[in-house]
Each structure stands twice: as structure tokens, then as C-alpha cells.
Amino acid sequence: PTVFASLPGWLPRVLSVGRLDLRSEGLLLLTNSGPLARMLELPSNAFERKYRALVCTGQERGVTGAMLRAMGDGLTLRDQTRFRPIRAVRTPLQPAAAGHEWVRMTLVEGKTREVRRAWQHFGFVVSRLVRDAYGPFELGELRPGEVEEVPRRCVARLLRLRERVLEGSGRAAPVDLAALEVKISRHD
């Protein structure tokens, strides 16, 4: 089963921006524009993906500052896969069972199962993974199965900002998302 089978009939044919694996939940962006999807997905454009991870640490040890710093420096896994720096911060978002810790994580690359593989590198398993934001788009109060349309003016603003950033550079550059005021509104 995929998310596409449960989409409302009023949506045009869409594709996903990035992906969530079967065991993950949260924000999934959908668009009918291939170029927009590609622009948002390219790591060189520096659109941040923000997650909450419930890390199963076991009773004997927990997440350490050294682990968080190592992620912040970028990781090289045993198979030589390299991850760009990941900002990770322990956070008491909600109560966690003994031997579990919630960690907020921000990354720009989005390699396959990056968050899960980063914690596996330290011998931990992620038991729950929630994507809260992708670039300027936030999950907010959206409930499971709900779909909200992003107003065209917000998408147009994002594209204009992107053009200004790239103007004259001839290459991709990080996008200053602080200049964006994107609101996701509900449509009944």
C-alpha cells in the first residue's frame, strides 16, 4: 500500500518530494511539478529536513554529547557511506519509556534511511521517526491522512527567491529560508 492510493480524488496526478519509508510518519510533500520536486530534493539547494526520532538506547547507556557532536561533524559509516553534518539535539518532547530518548534532527542531504543508519552507527535503533518539516513547509497540526494544498503564491515566492539566489552564480546555492513566510492553509 502507498500513500497515493488514499489521496483525495480532487488532486491531480502528483509525485512525492523525497520519501518516507514504511516505518516513518509525518510530512510528505506532493507536487505535479517535476522541476519543483527536484529543486527541493537536491542537497546542494540546502533545504532542511527536520525530524523527531525516538531512539531505543537500552537500559545501560544513552545518547551522549559525543554522539551528537560526531553527527554535527558528519559521519562516515563502516561501509564508507558519508553523511553531511546532522544537527541533533536531545529533547524531552514527550515522555519516553525507559531506555528511549527523543532527539530532534536536522539534515539537508536525505540519503536513504539516513536518520536510522546514523543511529545504527552508534548501536541504537530508531523505534519511531516523524518528519516535522521539509524546507519551509511544516507538518503543523496536520493529522494522519489529511491533505492541505499550499497556495500557489507561496510556491511562486519560493521559486522567485530561488532564482534570485542563483542569479549569476551558474550553480546551486543555499537558499535563505528566513526570507520566506510560507503558511499551509486548510481547504475544505
Side-chain angles (χ1 to χ4, degrees):
T2 69
V3 69
F4 295 102
S6 61
L7 293 174
W10 57 264
L11 279 178
R13 183 171 178 256
V14 293
L15 49 110
S16 65
V17 176
R19 65 206 170 277
L20 289 175
D21 67 30
L22 196 57
R23 298 179 302 148
S24 300
E25 59 187 280
L27 181 68
L28 182 63
L29 295 177
L30 304 169
T31 180
N32 59 354
S33 168
L36 176 63
R38 187 72 179 138
M39 182 188 84
L40 290 165
E41 288 175 339
L42 281 173
S44 59
N45 291 331
F47 284 103
E48 294 182 339
R49 293 100 159 134
K50 295 182 181 184
Y51 295 87
R52 284 178 284 146
L54 183 58
V55 181
C56 181
T57 59
Q59 301 292 339
E60 307 79 49
R61 63 188 189 120
V63 173
T64 67
M67 291 173 189
L68 300 177
R69 284 189 298 279
M71 284 192 193
D73 292 337
L75 292 176
T76 300
L77 306 183
R78 288 173 194 84
D79 66 3
Q80 299 307 306
T81 300
R82 293 182 184 186
F83 292 152
R84 289 182 179 189
I86 299 170
R87 285 195 317 269
V89 179
R90 270 180 268 157
T91 180
L93 289 173
Q94 53 201 69
H100 291 75
E101 292 185 51
W102 280 103
V103 179
R104 280 200 182 274
M105 303 181 70
T106 303
L107 49 120
V108 295
E109 200 161 21
K111 285 187 176 175
T112 303
R113 290 183 286 288
E114 184 170 352
V115 171
R116 294 182 191 282
R117 292 172 66 205
W119 285 112
Q120 187 177 23
H121 177 75
F122 296 108
F124 297 150
V125 172
V126 174
S127 60
R128 187 167 177 206
L129 184 60
V130 182
R131 181 162 52 201
D132 288 321
Y134 196 117
F137 307 103
E138 295 183 0
L139 183 61
E141 300 299 316
L142 204 61
R143 293 187 299 271
E146 234 177 4
V147 176
E148 290 184 3
E149 187 174 357
V150 176
R152 287 181 189 262
R153 70 184 181 283
C154 293
V155 175
R157 192 173 189 186
L158 175 64
L159 293 172
R160 281 194 308 275
L161 175 63
R162 176 78 182 127
E163 288 304 312
R164 281 200 309 269
V165 169
L166 289 178
E167 209 169 81
S169 72
R171 64 173 183 78
V175 176
D176 178 11
L177 296 178
L180 287 176
E181 294 179 40
V182 175
K183 303 274 190 260
I184 299 175
S185 61
R186 286 204 167 102
H187 294 273
D188 295 335

